[in-house]
Amino acid sequence: MADTQRGAAVDIRSVTKTYGDFTALDDISLRIEAGQFMTFLGPSGSGKTTTLNVIAGFTELTAGEILIGERSVGNLPAHKRNVGVVFQHYALFPHMTVAGNIAYPLKLRRVPKPERARRVAEVLEMVHLTDFSHRYPAELSGGQQQRVALARALVFDPPLLLMDEPLGALDKKLREWLQLEIKRIHRELGTTFVYVTHDQEEALALSDRIAVFNKGRIEQVGSGHDLYERPETLFVGRFIGESTVLSGPHEVRGDETAMQIGDEWVVCPGLPLGDGRQALLVRPEKITLRRTGSDLRPGENRLTGRVSEAIYLGSGVKYEVTLADGTRGVARMTLTEDRLALGDGVDVCWMQQDARLLADDGSSLGEQSGDHG
Amino acid sequence: MNRLQRTLISLFCACVALWLVAPTLVIVPISFAEKKSLAFPPDGFSLQWYANLIQSPDWSGSILNSLKIAVIVSVVATVIGTLAAMGITRMKAGSGGVVRAILITPMIVPGVVLAIGIYAVYLDHQLVGTLTGYVLAHSMLAIPFVIIAVGANLAVFDARLETAAASLGASRLVTFFTVTLPLIGPGILSGLLFAFVTSFDEVIVALFINSPRMKTLPVQIYSSMTRDSDPTVAAVGSLMFALTTLTIAAALWIGTRRRRS
């Protein structure tokens, strides 16, 4: 059973961090509830790791305040914060055994020897490494090392655990298994977890809440479901999951907005946000592909396109479609539906209320893959 | 053909090896000579020159002086050199490189040039032939060796371990003693041994700044050689050879030793 008393809430209040002219964090405010699993998601250079480092005390903040529990930790050095940290590069002490590494924080806290041994054994069992206590880190695999690091960061019962891309260096299978392990441990301990990743699937799999970072700011905070279904910015919509993004001149028609894509028009309920260019975001499972010349159903939008890629996924087929205006679209269909081949002409259809109208912030996929750091 | 090549290579290697150890091979037998002569090969066998080494105050005194200076120098140079190496690794690559280059100059500048400079300054400050004088001069020569040895070790030291230690509750000082020091310890120890040997072996600067009151062993050897042909020189040479070989071997062994990896 989760013991919610154990975790500490974190309050980030108007935190700014600048390096010379570069603003790494631009007035960030965020509340993390006690016992929550919060993920910082964003491309590299978006400020997520800087925020983590500021919470841990590795980086001094330029302005703002951070509270862990009820305590303001603004000027507190890292070693007095009592916060567990797990690093991507494990950071195990090579000259100590597994047990030595895990006992290290307990020794610093002057925990008596028998108690120390008991707690080391306890966390080793939690990460399934009981038989490895006398090994040296170099004798362990990456996954085992990271579990030791997790045990070391948790053995002193910190109310807050920070993890900086802990699974980044591991292969996919191992990563998925460790995700489950981390989730289980979070459930068992009730410690507040803050997890940094650039992998949106990992964020969705693990988190209670996700804060999406972009260019030193938080774009949106919400559950995975919120972010996927109701992204508030185009950046968030593009970053979480797959999507088709349409953009073109728009006009308001009553309480609807119409947008011109190539020489076709589509409509979406609701009014545009702001005065600038607008974009429509459609999730792949909302899109139905039909062979060209199908009937337009009431309440539906329809664009014409051509299948440019068909990817068999086992559970279904993912189609990439090139629309008449050159936009790339993505649709996911079940196997029972009509199989389409490369080059087939298709009608790309979705219900009007299933698209999301967002201000076009100029974000692109290239930017999000971290190529521009 | 193949066999011939191998034989030729072995022969060549043997010649080079002989060339390198020949002076030593000459010194060791002479130290056991029976007559007061440096002739090679020596006649007979005796341990009198080793006995003379201990009994003559000139010899035993200079040995003690050298040991005393070398011990102090190795401590001073190791502390300063280690601090310098740690500072340099924390600096930006460009400025760190400049500081490093400056600190290493005593190793590159010819010994005679340094010796003249040191002598000139020492004359004015009554440092000639004093313990302080020797320690200052030899530490200057030894610090570069420590910077290089510790710097090489720091280059492979993962500074992120210090961040990890801080997250686990260790202050800077505790981190240094529990994480940094154990991991760069081999570099520090090999730096210390190199510093010791640098001072113990040093002859050029010592020749300039020695006085009858305080002479180091290399100076005593040199002055003995210029006065007469006393095989005590060979005895002390053999001992020094044994001592330095052991120290350098230990330094190399410690320097290249890796923790379980």
Side-chain angles (χ1 to χ4, degrees):
Chain A
M1 282 300 290
D3 174 7
T4 44
Q5 294 305 303
R6 211 151 168 182
V10 180
D11 216 346
I12 303 171
R13 295 178 181 168
S14 307
V15 165
T16 296
K17 173 69 192 174
T18 55
Y19 295 98
D21 292 339
F22 176 69
T23 304
L25 294 180
D26 187 2
D27 194 18
I28 292 223
S29 290
L30 177 68
R31 177 156 174 95
I32 303 165
E33 299 301 333
Q36 206 166 54
F37 198 124
M38 167 66 86
T39 296
F40 294 171
L41 176 66
S44 55
S46 61
K48 56 191 193 307
T49 297
T50 309
T51 308
L52 190 94
N53 286 340
V54 162
I55 300 174
F58 302 148
T59 304
E60 278 179 41
L61 38 80
T62 309
E65 195 184 11
I66 289 179
L67 279 86
I68 299 175
E70 298 305 313
R71 187 167 63 149
S72 173
V73 294
N75 303 314
L76 211 58
H79 71 273
K80 289 186 179 160
R81 295 199 180 191
N82 202 34
V83 168
V85 185
V86 176
F87 303 87
Q88 179 177 1
H89 48 86
Y90 321 133
L92 295 177
F93 304 127
H95 57 302
M96 299 180 197
T97 60
V98 166
N101 266 280
I102 299 174
Y104 185 79
L106 298 178
K107 274 188 197 162
L108 294 172
R109 286 165 178 77
R110 305 194 194 288
V111 173
K113 212 170 179 186
E115 164 81 358
R116 218 154 68 198
R118 191 184 60 74
R119 280 165 76 173
V120 168
E122 214 175 85
V123 286
L124 274 174
E125 200 186 319
M126 183 178 75
V127 297
H128 312 301
L129 286 173
T130 305
D131 297 340
F132 293 80
S133 65
H134 296 296
R135 300 269 191 100
Y136 281 85
E139 299 167 333
L140 304 180
S141 71
Q144 289 168 338
Q145 289 190 48
Q146 197 54 297
R147 281 186 281 152
V148 175
L150 186 63
R152 186 181 66 175
L154 285 168
V155 72
F156 56 98
D157 270 333
L160 172 65
L161 179 73
L162 307 174
M163 286 183 273
D164 188 5
E165 308 234 9
L167 310 181
L170 304 173
D171 63 63
K172 193 171 188 299
K173 266 267 181 318
L174 193 56
R175 211 159 59 214
E176 282 169 359
W177 178 68
L178 279 174
Q179 282 172 11
L180 291 174
E181 285 291 298
I182 289 171
K183 247 189 124 144
R184 172 182 65 81
I185 290 166
H186 174 248
R187 218 169 29 237
E188 283 175 9
L189 295 181
T191 307
T192 309
F193 277 33
V194 177
Y195 192 99
V196 165
T197 183
H198 62 268
D199 180 347
Q200 48 100 10
E201 279 180 43
E202 193 164 279
L204 292 174
L206 287 170
S207 331
D208 296 325
R209 276 156 72 79
I210 301 171
V212 181
F213 280 71
N214 183 30
K215 294 177 182 161
R217 291 171 161 277
I218 294 178
E219 294 260 333
Q220 189 177 350
V221 186
S223 67
H225 183 263
D226 288 341
L227 297 175
Y228 188 79
E229 298 288 338
R230 288 181 296 281
E232 281 162 16
T233 66
L234 186 59
F235 179 87
V236 172
R238 283 190 132 135
F239 202 80
I240 310 278
E242 290 183 298
S243 53
T244 303
V245 178
L246 303 167
S247 190
H250 67 278
E251 58 186 48
V252 177
R253 294 179 185 164
D255 56 357
E256 289 183 336
T257 305
M259 187 179 281
Q260 191 186 2
I261 311 294
D263 27 332
E264 295 163 302
W265 283 84
V266 292
V267 290
C268 178
L271 299 175
L273 290 99
D275 303 329
R277 216 174 141 77
Q278 300 292 304
L280 269 184
L281 183 122
V282 198
R283 293 300 185 187
E285 62 280 359
K286 305 286 190 194
I287 290 178
T288 311
L289 297 180
R290 292 198 294 266
R291 293 190 184 278
T292 312
S294 68
D295 297 327
L296 185 65
R297 298 172 191 177
E300 205 175 53
N301 280 317
R302 186 178 65 182
L303 292 172
T304 52
R306 207 163 274 287
V307 174
S308 52
E309 192 69 81
I311 300 155
Y312 177 68
L313 296 175
S315 55
V317 186
K318 185 172 113 177
Y319 291 106
E320 278 187 19
V321 210
T322 307
L323 299 176
D325 73 334
T327 308
R328 243 190 71 244
V330 188
R332 207 172 296 129
M333 314 271 285
T334 61
L335 288 171
T336 50
E337 286 160 300
D338 191 11
R339 289 292 290 272
L340 299 161
L342 280 188
D344 283 358
V346 284
D347 286 337
V348 178
C349 313
W350 69 94
M351 298 309 289
Q352 285 166 4
Q353 72 276 9
D354 282 347
R356 194 142 170 102
L357 183 66
L358 296 163
D360 190 345
D361 53 15
S363 61
S364 69
L365 281 173
E367 226 175 297
Q368 293 175 1
S369 61
D371 296 345
H372 304 278
Chain B
M1 192 61 184
N2 211 337
R3 200 180 208 168
L4 181 69
Q5 274 179 340
R6 219 178 302 156
T7 317
L8 283 174
I9 289 172
S10 309
L11 207 63
F12 177 72
C13 290
C15 286
V16 173
L18 185 69
W19 177 33
L20 293 181
V21 296
T24 319
L25 294 179
V26 172
I27 277 292
V28 176
I30 292 176
S31 72
F32 295 106
E34 214 177 334
K35 290 187 199 128
K36 190 167 181 173
S37 146
L38 288 176
F40 182 81
D43 295 329
F45 176 85
S46 82
L47 289 172
Q48 55 171 310
W49 311 116
Y50 285 91
N52 185 39
L53 204 60
I54 300 160
Q55 283 150 10
S56 145
D58 268 359
W59 286 107
S60 57
S62 62
I63 289 173
L64 286 180
N65 283 339
S66 272
L67 283 176
K68 190 159 61 180
I69 293 163
V71 166
I72 301 174
V73 164
S74 50
V75 173
V76 170
T78 303
V79 171
I80 294 176
T82 302
L83 292 175
M86 290 182 70
I88 289 167
T89 36
R90 269 156 215 240
M91 289 172 79
K92 283 187 188 138
S95 43
V98 173
V99 172
R100 193 182 137 90
I102 292 170
L103 291 177
I104 282 175
T105 39
M107 215 170 91
I108 298 152
V109 175
V112 188
V113 178
L114 285 177
I116 295 167
I118 292 168
Y119 184 58
V121 175
Y122 276 20
L123 274 181
D124 283 352
H125 295 85
Q126 283 81 48
L127 282 167
V128 173
T130 62
L131 182 65
T132 322
Y134 282 113
V135 168
L136 281 177
H138 283 180
S139 296
M140 184 190 77
L141 295 170
I143 285 171
F145 289 95
V146 179
I147 291 178
I148 287 171
V150 178
N153 210 161
L154 279 171
V156 294
F157 171 72
D158 185 356
R160 297 177 298 192
L161 294 176
E162 294 177 338
T163 312
S167 80
L168 296 168
S171 65
R172 280 274 181 91
L173 201 65
V174 171
T175 303
F176 178 78
F177 284 109
T178 56
V179 176
T180 318
L181 194 60
L183 290 173
I184 65 167
I188 294 176
L189 202 54
S190 80
L192 182 116
L193 294 178
F194 273 113
F196 182 90
V197 171
T198 303
S199 165
F200 196 76
D201 255 1
E202 205 285 324
V203 64
I204 305 171
V205 175
L207 266 181
F208 277 75
I209 64 170
N210 83 87
S211 75
R213 270 183 299 127
M214 193 166 187
K215 244 183 222 177
T216 61
L217 182 58
V219 173
Q220 168 65 21
I221 293 173
Y222 182 79
S223 44
S224 159
M225 283 298 291
T226 49
R227 250 180 298 136
D228 48 29
S229 44
D230 179 355
T232 310
V233 171
V236 78
S238 304
L239 281 182
M240 271 177 81
F241 163 68
L243 182 71
T244 44
T245 308
L246 284 176
T247 334
I248 292 288
L252 290 175
W253 180 71
I254 291 163
T256 53
R257 194 176 60 141
R258 288 264 182 279
R259 291 217 163 248
R260 300 160 170 266
S261 59

